[in-house]
Amino acid sequence: MVNRAVLAHRLFTGVSRHHLAHLIEELAAPWQAGLEGRRHAARGGVRKLAAGAGTRHQLVFVDRLVATLIHLRHDLPHSVLGLLFGVDRSTITRAIGEIGRLLAERGRAVADRPGLRLRSLTDVFAYAQAEGIELRQDATEIQVRRPPAGRGGRRAFVSAKKQQNTMKATVIADRRGRTLWTDALRPGRMHDATAARIEGIGVCFQHFPYVEVLLDDGYFGLSRDHRGHAITPPRKPRPGALPDRVEQWERDRHWHSCDRITVEHALADHKHWKQLTRWTHRRDRLPDTYRAIASLSSDRTSIT
């Protein structure tokens, strides 16, 4: 067994001790409530022993949280974490499942707004309109395992861009690169604009007419449908255009790229967590994992 203080170090968990203390304070009560709910359902009624009686946890809540963070940061196998914490692999698997769901349900933090968490695309657009914030949106792909042969929809995960089996996440950030939202992941073959439409971005543009979103070339369809709100780079002049027109296009495109680059920084911040560099687990568990990592990354600027 390794010293618990060493395992809680930032090099292992990816978060500072101050951040870890905030997570413990925030998640302890929801975790205990979920535990009591599962126990109530298992025994079919109220508890028969006094509070505090009965067997003790082999892995206390703080250790469960630390083990989950290490798994997210370094993608260590459950059996290795079980060896480090002196428990069985199944205990680690159950702990990561419990804490991972709590992290995914937290939503994204907002700087200078303690207690405010953005959990849906509507929340993000409402916040952006109220605060006068210009949003940045982009998509990223994460390599996943190839679906078994003969299963329907197998080609849906083959990315035309990467020529790999991937899942695509859409992320929205502000001008400082702070993550505000990420969606349920889609198969990698799906177009960026299609994934955004499925999440309801068109409805948000209609209900929040003062919100502007900076996009890249992959969202020209959204720009056409929502002019003045979905802003993409200017189209390249046709061959034979005047040199002044070409120079103006290059300047406009450069400034648009400079304004939008912060969402790329947000995506890079997510990829520092090893589980998002290449996903080797079940594909249906990736959305919750991405949302959990996005919530932790958003805390970086809201917790001092």
Side-chain angles (χ1 to χ4, degrees):
M1 294 176 61
V2 180
N3 190 311
R4 295 296 203 271
V6 174
L7 293 177
H9 193 275
R10 184 169 192 163
L11 293 177
F12 286 98
T13 62
V15 300
S16 65
R17 294 189 182 275
H18 186 55
H19 188 181
L20 180 60
H22 274 271
L23 290 174
I24 294 172
E25 182 180 1
E26 177 184 349
L27 300 179
W31 176 80
Q32 186 64 36
L35 176 64
E36 293 299 333
R38 290 190 295 273
R39 287 176 173 175
H40 186 278
R43 62 178 172 252
V46 297
R47 63 184 304 150
K48 299 178 182 178
L49 298 177
T55 58
R56 299 291 188 270
H57 284 292
Q58 290 182 295
L59 199 65
V60 298
F61 168 73
V62 175
D63 289 343
R64 290 170 183 256
L65 176 59
V66 171
T68 302
L69 293 175
I70 295 175
H71 182 60
L72 293 174
R73 186 70 174 183
H74 300 286
D75 201 17
L76 288 184
H78 295 183
S79 56
V80 175
L81 290 171
L83 181 62
L84 291 176
F85 286 91
V87 296
D88 188 73
R89 179 198 59 79
S90 61
T91 303
I92 294 293
T93 300
R94 186 164 53 251
I96 290 175
E98 295 171 358
I99 303 301
R101 282 190 293 271
L102 292 177
L103 290 172
E105 294 168 358
R106 297 173 68 226
R108 267 58 64 190
V110 177
D112 304 325
R113 296 291 187 276
L116 177 62
R117 314 284 306 192
L118 305 177
R119 293 180 171 82
S120 67
L121 187 59
T122 304
D123 293 343
V124 175
F125 271 72
Y127 167 73
Q129 180 160 295
E131 300 293 332
I133 294 175
E134 187 179 53
L135 303 176
R136 280 88 172 146
Q137 177 177 314
D138 201 1
T140 185
E141 296 184 48
I142 302 166
Q143 186 178 356
V144 297
R145 292 190 298 180
R146 188 179 186 184
R151 180 169 296 180
R154 194 181 189 202
R155 294 184 66 250
F157 292 92
V158 180
S159 169
K161 178 180 179 181
K162 292 182 175 290
Q163 296 300 312
Q164 296 173 337
N165 289 271
T166 65
M167 292 187 70
K168 179 175 295 183
T170 303
V171 175
I172 292 181
D174 61 9
R175 64 181 181 84
R176 295 180 59 184
R178 298 175 294 204
T179 302
L180 300 180
W181 176 79
T182 182
D183 69 341
L185 274 72
R186 305 290 176 181
R189 200 175 189 86
M190 182 177 293
H191 196 277
D192 294 357
T194 302
R197 289 191 178 98
I198 291 176
E199 290 300 320
I201 194 170
V203 177
C204 290
F205 278 129
Q206 294 175 4
H207 286 84
F208 302 98
Y210 300 107
V211 176
E212 295 181 352
V213 183
L214 298 184
L215 307 162
D216 63 9
D217 294 339
Y219 294 94
F220 276 130
L222 282 179
S223 177
R224 180 190 62 242
D225 297 339
H226 306 282
R227 295 188 181 279
H229 305 294
I231 304 173
T232 54
R235 303 301 294 266
K236 185 175 182 179
R238 294 182 178 181
L242 296 175
D244 292 344
R245 174 71 182 90
V246 175
E247 291 178 4
Q248 182 63 43
W249 168 76
E250 291 177 346
R251 286 194 297 268
D252 293 343
R253 189 176 183 85
H254 171 75
W255 286 114
H256 183 277
S257 177
C258 291
D259 288 342
R260 198 192 62 83
I261 196 65
T262 55
V263 69
E264 302 284 357
H265 298 161
L267 296 177
D269 195 22
H270 301 167
K271 296 298 180 70
H272 286 162
W273 298 75
K274 190 175 180 180
Q275 284 209 338
L276 296 186
T277 57
R278 185 176 185 271
W279 182 254
T280 59
H281 312 282
R282 290 175 51 178
R283 291 188 305 278
D284 58 353
R285 295 178 180 174
L286 179 54
D288 279 347
T289 299
Y290 201 111
R291 283 192 287 264
I293 291 175
S295 74
L296 293 171
S297 297
S298 70
D299 290 338
R300 179 171 51 85
T301 52
S302 63
I303 296 178
T304 57

